[in-house]
Structure formats: C-alpha cells, structure tokens
Amino acid sequence: MQDDDTTHGPLAGFTVGVTAARRAEELGTLLKRRGAAVLHAPALRIVQLADDSELLAATKELIGHAPDVAVATTAIGFRGWIEAADGWGIGDALLQTLRGVELLARGPKVKGAIRAAGLTETWSPGSESMAEVLDRLLAEGVAGRRVALQLHGEPLPGFVESLTAAGAEVVVVPVYRWMPPQDIAPLDRMLDVTAARGLDAITFTSAPAAASFLGRAETRGLLPEILGALRDDVLVACVGPVTALPLQARGIDTLQPERFRLGPLVQLMCAHLPAAARILPVAGHRIEIRGHAVLVDDELRAVPPAGMALLHALARRPGWVVARADLLRALPGSGSDEHAVETAMARLRSALGVPRLIQTVVKRGYRLALDPSADTKYGR
C-alpha cells in the first residue's frame, strides 16, 4: 500500500490558521508544501514608534548596564532607534555603549545603517537569516551573557525563547507598537471559522498575536465558543513557551517544538494532525477521516462541510445506525427538514466515490458499513 503522506503530504486534508503579521508567507508556504489548506488572518499590525516610554526605558537600561551582544535586525528599525535616542538627548551615550559590544547585523541593509551611525558590525551572516545569527550565538555560548535584541515588526519566532533557554539574559528593544489590524474582516472571519470548528489547527508566532486573537473574540462576544473550540477540537501550535502564555492563561493546551523555529513548528504539526485522524475499515476499504477530506485507499477525496459533518457523526459510532434526526442536528445551520440529510448524504457518497461505504437503513437512518472483522473492536 502506498504511503498517503508521501503521495499527498502529511497535512493534506487539514486546514491550518496562520495569525502572523510578519513571516506569514514563509509559514504558509511551509504548510502548503505539506498539503495543508491555509487560512491567513493577521491578528495585529506593527507601527513604528516616534516616541515611546518602553523604548526609552530599554535604551536607558542598556546605557546603564551595557550588553555583551547587540543584534540589529532591520535597517529601518536600527535607524529609528538611534533617531529616537537622539531626540531624547542620549544618542551619543547609546552609540558609545554599542561601540563596546559584539554587534551583529542581520544583513547588508542593516550593516549600512550601522555604519551610517559611525559604528562597525562585528559579524553579519551571508544568508541574511536570523536563524544563522541564532546558530552563531548558541555556538558561541550565551549562558550568563546579556543580549540586546532590536526588533522591528513581529517578534522573531523562537529567537528570544532559544536564547533564554540557553541561559542568556535578553533585553528586547521594541522599535514598534502593536495595533489591531487595519482591516479586521479577515481576523473576524478566522474567529467565525474557529468557533464553527472549521479549522483543524491554528498557529501563533508571538504572544501579542495570541492575546489579540483572544481579545477580539472577547470583544465580539465569541470568547466562550473560541475557548471551547481551542480546548476540544482545534490543535493550537505555538512557536515557543512565551508565545503560548496568553493561551495557557485561558486553560488552552498548546503544542511547542523543542527548537523554537517555524520549521520544527510545522514538523510537529505534521506528526500530530495525521495521528489524530480517524482510520476505519469500511466495506473492504481503508478510510482515513481528516479535517476537510477523506483518504479512501490512499486517494484523497475532498468532501463538502455538510458531508464532513455527517461523516464525523457516523464515525463516532462506526457500524451503528445513526438516526436521521441525529444527523440533522449535526449539519451546519441545521433546520427541521430531514430532506437536508438526504441531500447532504447523496453529496457525501458522491464525494467519497464509493457509495456503499455508507448504508441506508430503511426508516431508521444510516450507518458506516464497517467490516465484520472490525465489529468487535468497535463495539458491535
């Protein structure tokens, strides 16, 4: 038998929500390459600071207690930091502090900003990758060292967590402010889909994004439904423990990779989502029930939402007859006309491509045609 994950990707048939503002495209690409359907809705946006007490406090702290290492991540962010310090009358003191530390620049644009300020970087990766910066720091050893991290945009997924786990004291220099998205409609749509259990998993790469997601749910009066979905039906994957804090404070369990990066985060989901799929021997076929699709003998079959609702209801009691009234209640936006069950069932059978997988029991309802050898195992 073919390995369906090799043929279709381990996340085929699953829908994953992405809440990141920055690096959303990178995360979405990683998920899609593994077969997932991706729903993206940034949970926040980032605006640059002209004057902010948090940035001022972080700058004064570094001048008073110099770091061992400073990491500059973006040219616009580094320039904004120096300009803000000049405005506060402490620009020279900041530059003097940075002259005495190991100064790492993410890429050539950042190097240009550093040199324009009269400083010289210690090192810069050829790849312009923060992952390479992190690897260098961890290889050097950061235990007991003080690391200043200039941010511009969404916090780098896993960067702070990795340094902290390795024993560093990390001082974040936030050259930005969190704000709600300018267009709130995509986030509202994701909340609606989440509440309706239309997502199989949702990802968070920063604590502010997680807090914003929950905050918007509360504003709309959806928080109980969202918390119920995240606790019971939607896999919640966070890039690291700091990101997970707002969710865990609400009693939501989260998955976190050992290495706090996007790649390991996706790999973790590739292990957990397929493992949760229901696999049943039905009418001589192997069916694997995923989020919005079914593998029938390793052939991926897309199923409409109403059909998936019926199939999940039947699979909860495989081999047993499920009454039409019970199936009607399982349908999204169910009314009182049981004809809706017949219509959805016909479409489900057509989508599966093997009509005899589901048997009609006259005047009673429907059942999955569970193989006789499996009857004892599944409680017949």
Side-chain angles (χ1 to χ4, degrees), residues 232-284:
D232 300 331
D233 296 302
V234 181
L235 180 74
V236 182
C238 296
V239 79
V242 174
T243 297
L245 288 176
L247 296 153
Q248 292 175 342
R250 297 282 192 171
I252 298 167
D253 292 330
T254 65
L255 282 180
Q256 301 159 35
E258 291 184 8
R259 296 172 68 237
F260 311 134
R261 299 183 187 176
L262 297 184
L265 178 68
V266 173
Q267 290 169 8
L268 191 64
M269 296 172 69
C270 288
H272 280 262
L273 277 176
R278 192 75 183 270
I279 300 173
L280 295 170
V282 180

Side-chain angles (χ1 to χ4, degrees), residues 7-66:
T7 305
H8 305 290
L11 298 181
F14 296 110
T15 303
V16 180
V18 172
T19 60
R22 287 185 69 243
R23 302 188 72 188
E25 185 175 351
E26 178 183 352
L27 178 55
T29 298
L30 289 172
L31 292 166
K32 289 174 184 176
R33 282 177 182 166
R34 288 154 180 82
V38 175
L39 179 63
H40 175 230
L44 44 77
R45 65 186 169 98
I46 306 106
V47 295
Q48 186 159 348
L49 300 180
D51 183 20
D52 185 81
S53 57
E54 188 179 352
L55 177 60
L56 175 59
T59 304
K60 285 184 173 179
E61 181 184 354
L62 291 173
I63 291 171
H65 181 188

